[in-house]
Amino acid sequence: MAISGYLDILSVLSRGLYYTISILIVSAIIGYIIAFVAGFGRISRFSFIRRFTMIYVEFFRGTSLIVQLFWFYYVLPLPNFWAGTLAIGLNYGAYMSEIVRGSILAVPKGQTEASIALNMSNWQRMRLVILPQALRMMLPEFGNYLIQMVKATSLVSLIGLTDITYQAMVYRASNIPQSIEVFVILLIVYFLIALPLIALTRWLERMSSKGVARE
Amino acid sequence: MNMIREWDWSTVIDAFPLIFKAMWITLGMTIACYAFALVFGLVWTFIRRVRIKPLQRLISFIMEFIRTTPPLVQLYFIYYAWPLVPYVGVTLDPITTSILGLGIHFSTYISEIYRSGIESVDKGQWEAATALNFSTRQKWTKIILPQAIPPTIPMLGNYLIIMFKEIPLTAAVGVGGMLLTAQKYGAKFYEYMEPLTLVALFFLLLSYPSSILVQKLEQKMNRRFDKKPGGSNNGKEVTAS
Amino acid sequence: MEPIVKYEDVHKSFGDLEVLKGIDLNIAPAEKVALIGPSGSGKTTIIRLLMTLEKPTSGYIEVDGDPLWHKEVNGKLVPADEKHLREVRGKIGMVFQHFNLFPHMTILKNCTVAPINVLGMDKEEAEQRAVEMLEKVGLADKLEAYPSQLSGGQKQRVAMARALVMRPKVMLFDEVTSALDPELVGEVLEVIREIAEEGEMAMILVTHEMDFARDVADRVVFLDNGVIAEQGKPKDILENPQSERLQSFLERFRTSSSS
């Protein structure tokens, strides 16, 4: 195939890049906020909060992301941008809340005891001692989930949002002999979007091995 | 924006048998894709143990590439582009496409589990096996694998559940599981709420008890061995959309 | 008498670090040799080379008249293959610092898995022999227990039974008491002493237990910095050390072990 053919494909895909990236950013923001809210909810002092967040988490982990996406789009019905970002954000938020909860609980008990011995308030203990250590454990996992979210953004093409996968499908429909090139380039574009996130995650993994108390 | 209309039990009764029937297709696809992933994961694991640096690097790269690109696009590639590939290309039906696509995608995760299992076996076990003069084959079958496999079972179980939740993706290439059935029902009668909610409930009802089972299994495994099995992802689950 | 084990100018490096700098050592059949020396002196490496857990960088090792890391092809020595290694390795057994019992097998199974699969013994005979050895180490009542249910001292005794079942001609002991709680050391040393008294097997013991070395060993070899610095009868070596290095090593030992 001539170079111009590849350039055609790239320019078509670039039209979808705006949606792919903005869906990723908005879902990630929703996901991280939900992760902390639900993560803290799971270890709340109040049993009704614990129970409520558990139901949320189990519901979103137990049903499939793509089913949730369709439900938001066809049943509620939300505009496709918000159906996409909410489904991805709420779904990944549920998964990541387990990371938040797990990391906070994984900080050794001795750290809590030392903070009590230093007469810190509950809030001080969380802010100064527990969270800084828990965050180091969370961040690499958050990075991993961000890479997963890049892949998940492709699902929004199924509800008619014109992301890069959607654009590729449209281009392919009228250029069937170029199917191989279209999808190979599309896969490479996704890989290139994920590449900096992979590097970031590896870096976070290295950083996280420092400065956490071990039992 | 339309308002949510009222829940209609007669639609539920109407759609239920269709979705229940489609559930068996979804479950069958889960087993088929999972079995393929288990076997193909083994292939990756063994290729990566071959001590040729460039080969190891190439395989790692390919696995990383498969892992970080959307399975949806991989399905499209197999379904739409593979038939056009010179010499080896053949047209594949939706079911074969899905087994290959999701199977290969998840095999890259499964392979990591196998690897973590093998690496969790203490170096001393290899040494003791050498000291007792076992052959290479016996070392694997008698000493290493019996220890490497059990701690990975809960993780493998997790991936079975993850695979189950990923199967609706195959609707995109036309496999008639629960999601596609609900979608078609919705398009026909313009009633999406009941069938899609039913699908969600089916997923919840099947996956939630399974994940509790896997958790129980994991606790049991942790107790069974002297050491803590390495490589466990502590109940963390990943998705692969 | 022909030695059962022979080291000739054996060198071993890990990367840039040379751990063994030319070892010459002969061990007679049924001889008990204790290897002592500061940590990093290479004493563990010497026996790991013999068990084929590490490969020598250069030099020659012979076991019972056969080259270990080489084999003879048309009168020339070429590097050994796995088949040759397995033949020669059958004459050697080893007990590890960290026991390395198989956690997925019962005590009995730990002791029978190798005779059945490696020696091709039938199950009954292997079990009979395993029980005999487990009796010798005082654990015949634990046949169906798993390693995780045993104390460190018991684990180490099982490890000895497991090695004994294979009837090696040379038995290697790699700091077998150093991972044990102090109160469990005695029971393990007692078993080794009994095995030594039976006398038929050559034994190489890497140890920090000087009193034990004096009791059990026919010869004590002091390693320092990758070479054999001094060797001789236990009494001479331990009570009348010649070199300054050995004197200071023993001195340090007395002060640290009496604390």
Side-chain angles (χ1 to χ4, degrees):
Chain A
M1 199 170 85
I3 295 288
S4 65
Y6 291 109
L7 290 177
D8 277 353
I9 296 173
L10 275 175
S11 83
V12 168
L13 291 186
S14 71
R15 272 181 246 154
L17 210 55
Y18 168 77
Y19 274 117
T20 295
I21 301 291
S22 53
I23 291 271
L24 175 66
I25 292 172
V26 177
S27 334
I29 291 171
I30 296 173
Y32 291 138
I33 292 172
I34 296 282
F36 276 97
V37 172
F40 279 104
R42 289 294 303 276
I43 50 175
S44 163
R45 257 176 296 176
F46 305 106
S47 68
F48 73 94
I49 295 182
R50 285 202 304 271
R51 213 164 300 153
F52 178 78
T53 40
M54 201 185 107
I55 290 169
Y56 156 73
V57 169
E58 293 304 344
F59 194 87
F60 274 85
R61 294 203 319 168
T63 55
S64 166
L65 168 60
I66 179 170
V67 175
Q68 290 152 21
L69 183 76
F70 278 40
W71 204 88
F72 284 159
Y73 179 66
Y74 287 110
V75 179
L76 283 181
L78 290 173
N80 53 13
F81 184 88
W82 291 107
T85 49
L86 269 180
I88 298 173
L90 286 171
N91 184 282
Y92 280 89
Y95 281 100
M96 292 190 296
S97 73
E98 292 287 288
I99 306 290
V100 172
R101 169 177 161 267
S103 303
I104 289 172
L105 295 180
V107 176
K109 231 175 140 57
Q111 297 293 306
T112 306
E113 289 170 1
S115 330
I116 294 171
L118 292 169
N119 205 15
M120 289 184 190
S121 69
N122 280 345
W123 169 238
Q124 285 171 326
R125 187 171 78 218
M126 189 50 85
R127 182 171 56 96
L128 300 172
V129 181
I130 308 295
L131 262 189
Q133 297 182 55
L135 265 177
R136 283 194 180 84
M137 292 186 250
M138 286 176 215
L139 286 177
E141 297 294 337
F142 281 179
N144 276 326
Y145 275 105
L146 197 56
I147 298 166
Q148 301 290 333
M149 278 192 258
V150 173
K151 296 194 289 178
T153 60
S154 68
L155 298 178
V156 300
S157 67
L158 298 173
I159 54 169
L161 207 67
T162 55
D163 74 330
I164 52 177
T165 302
Y166 187 94
Q167 298 288 2
M169 288 298 277
V170 170
Y171 182 88
R172 188 204 79 91
S174 49
N175 299 274
I176 287 175
Q178 293 176 32
S179 297
I180 300 175
E181 291 85 350
V182 171
F183 289 121
V184 168
I185 292 173
L186 180 59
L187 286 168
I188 291 172
V189 169
Y190 274 113
F191 187 67
L192 291 178
I193 296 173
L195 214 51
L197 304 179
I198 296 173
L200 177 72
T201 304
R202 299 242 163 98
W203 182 75
L204 288 171
E205 269 162 12
R206 278 200 303 277
M207 297 313 285
S208 74
S209 54
K210 298 168 195 162
V212 180
R214 308 245 176 253
E215 262 173 308
Chain B
M1 197 166 97
N2 321 9
M3 288 300 295
I4 306 179
R5 56 166 189 76
E6 253 175 62
W7 181 260
D8 182 359
W9 283 104
S10 66
T11 311
V12 175
I13 291 164
D14 194 35
F16 186 90
L18 293 171
I19 289 169
F20 185 76
K21 218 171 113 191
M23 180 191 77
W24 298 109
I25 296 172
T26 301
L27 286 175
M29 287 300 291
T30 308
I31 302 295
C33 295
Y34 186 67
F36 190 86
L38 284 185
V39 174
F40 212 75
L42 217 56
V43 176
W44 294 119
T45 310
F46 278 107
I47 302 178
R48 274 204 296 185
R49 288 192 74 85
V50 177
R51 288 204 188 97
I52 305 169
K53 266 272 145 61
L55 180 74
Q56 285 177 339
R57 231 170 265 154
L58 178 71
I59 294 295
S60 296
F61 175 78
I62 294 173
M63 289 176 70
E64 183 93 60
F65 189 87
I66 294 173
R67 242 199 314 256
T68 49
T69 52
L72 176 65
V73 181
Q74 292 167 5
L75 287 177
Y76 285 156
F77 177 84
I78 296 171
Y79 196 62
Y80 296 114
W82 187 253
L84 303 177
V85 174
Y87 309 114
V88 288
V90 280
T91 306
L92 299 165
D93 60 83
I95 288 181
T96 315
T97 301
S98 303
I99 293 173
L100 283 175
L102 290 185
I104 292 173
H105 189 88
F106 277 92
S107 69
T108 59
Y109 290 91
I110 301 280
S111 167
E112 293 295 337
I113 297 178
Y114 291 153
R115 188 168 75 150
S116 76
I118 292 167
E119 281 173 3
S120 74
V121 179
D122 184 58
K123 200 171 129 256
Q125 296 291 309
W126 289 94
E127 294 188 347
T130 304
L132 292 170
N133 212 4
F134 284 109
S135 68
T136 309
R137 203 193 144 83
Q138 286 169 333
K139 274 183 213 169
W140 279 101
T141 58
K142 303 275 172 198
I143 310 300
I144 304 303
L145 289 181
Q147 295 181 67
I149 292 169
T152 66
I153 288 172
M155 279 186 278
L156 291 175
N158 262 335
Y159 271 95
L160 178 61
I161 301 168
I162 294 168
M163 180 69 92
F164 172 59
K165 288 182 279 185
E166 207 70 13
I167 295 296
L169 205 58
T170 62
V173 291
V175 176
M178 290 193 280
L179 186 68
L180 193 66
T181 307
Q183 214 185 343
K184 279 183 175 162
Y185 187 93
K188 199 165 157 196
F189 302 106
Y190 211 74
E191 298 188 279
Y192 283 100
M193 179 156 64
E194 292 81 3
L196 277 175
T197 308
L198 275 178
V199 172
L201 288 177
F202 267 112
F203 271 99
L204 192 63
L205 250 90
L206 288 164
S207 71
Y208 185 60
S210 321
S211 65
I212 288 178
L213 207 74
V214 168
Q215 266 173 33
K216 289 259 154 63
L217 205 66
E218 186 157 20
Q219 286 160 6
K220 212 170 140 189
M221 289 294 170
N222 282 344
R223 275 200 303 269
R224 204 180 122 186
F225 283 94
D226 211 4
K227 55 179 175 150
K228 259 199 119 72
S232 160
N233 60 357
N234 302 322
K236 272 179 262 149
E237 240 180 84
V238 293
T239 54
S241 296
Chain C
M1 201 169 12
E2 269 301 297
I4 184 98
V5 172
K6 217 194 270 183
Y7 288 81
E8 280 175 16
D9 194 27
V10 172
H11 290 253
K12 174 66 188 176
S13 303
F14 293 104
D16 291 336
L17 183 72
E18 194 173 24
V19 199
L20 296 180
K21 299 169 180 167
I23 297 292
D24 291 282
L25 181 66
N26 286 353
I27 289 159
E31 191 185 12
K32 323 293 182 223
V33 177
L35 294 181
I36 62 168
S39 62
S41 60
K43 51 195 193 306
T44 288
T45 306
I46 290 190
I47 61 173
R48 286 174 64 83
L49 291 173
L50 194 57
M51 193 66 259
T52 69
L53 300 173
E54 309 284 354
K55 196 176 174 167
T57 314
S58 68
Y60 176 78
I61 303 175
E62 199 177 275
V63 176
D64 202 14
D66 292 318
L68 175 66
W69 283 101
H70 305 81
K71 64 173 185 175
E72 260 185 77
V73 176
N74 306 326
K76 272 196 210 148
L77 287 180
V78 299
D81 51 16
E82 177 65 19
K83 183 167 167 277
H84 175 84
L85 284 180
R86 286 196 76 200
E87 267 168 42
V88 185
R89 198 151 56 199
K91 294 170 182 160
I92 308 161
M94 182 161 176
V95 183
F96 295 88
Q97 185 178 357
H98 296 287
F99 335 128
N100 296 351
L101 292 182
F102 303 132
H104 59 304
M105 297 176 184
T106 61
I107 301 313
L108 182 63
K109 194 81 205 299
N110 258 284
C111 297
T112 58
V113 62
I116 291 172
N117 291 285
V118 176
L119 304 180
M121 208 181 277
D122 62 52
K123 190 163 171 258
E124 253 166 66
E125 192 188 350
E127 284 183 353
Q128 197 187 334
R129 201 197 275 191
V131 171
E132 194 182 308
M133 293 305 160
L134 284 166
E135 267 166 9
K136 186 178 284 188
V137 300
L139 285 169
D141 56 334
K142 298 279 187 198
L143 299 181
E144 295 308 316
Y146 280 87
S148 59
Q149 295 164 290
L150 303 186
S151 72
Q154 290 172 324
K155 283 182 199 172
Q156 196 56 296
R157 280 145 63 198
V158 173
M160 276 188 264
R162 182 176 73 175
L164 283 172
V165 171
M166 300 295 279
R167 297 219 172 120
K169 294 191 172 174
V170 186
M171 183 81 113
L172 312 176
F173 295 83
D174 184 14
E175 302 190 27
V176 292
T177 56
S178 57
L180 297 177
D181 291 336
E183 73 271 19
L184 300 176
V185 169
E187 60 184 75
V188 171
L189 294 184
E190 196 45 50
V191 171
I192 300 177
R193 208 182 308 255
E194 276 169 34
I195 299 168
E197 274 161 15
E198 285 173 15
E200 57 220 39
M201 224 169 28
M203 288 164 61
I204 308 178
L205 307 112
V206 172
T207 185
H208 291 298
E209 306 281 338
M210 294 305 153
D211 295 335
F212 175 71
R214 188 199 332 247
D215 280 3
V216 170
D218 303 315
R219 177 159 50 128
V220 172
V221 174
F222 172 62
L223 261 117
D224 188 39
N225 216 355
V227 294
I228 295 176
E230 223 175 308
Q231 57 176 315
K233 294 232 173 302
K235 222 169 135 60
D236 300 341
I237 294 293
L238 298 173
E239 281 164 24
N240 192 15
Q242 298 300 302
S243 67
E244 213 173 289
R245 295 283 303 178
L246 179 53
Q247 280 164 19
S248 72
F249 171 72
L250 292 173
E251 195 50 49
R252 231 172 327 150
F253 232 86
R254 247 161 238 136
T255 47
S256 68
S257 61
S258 63
S259 63

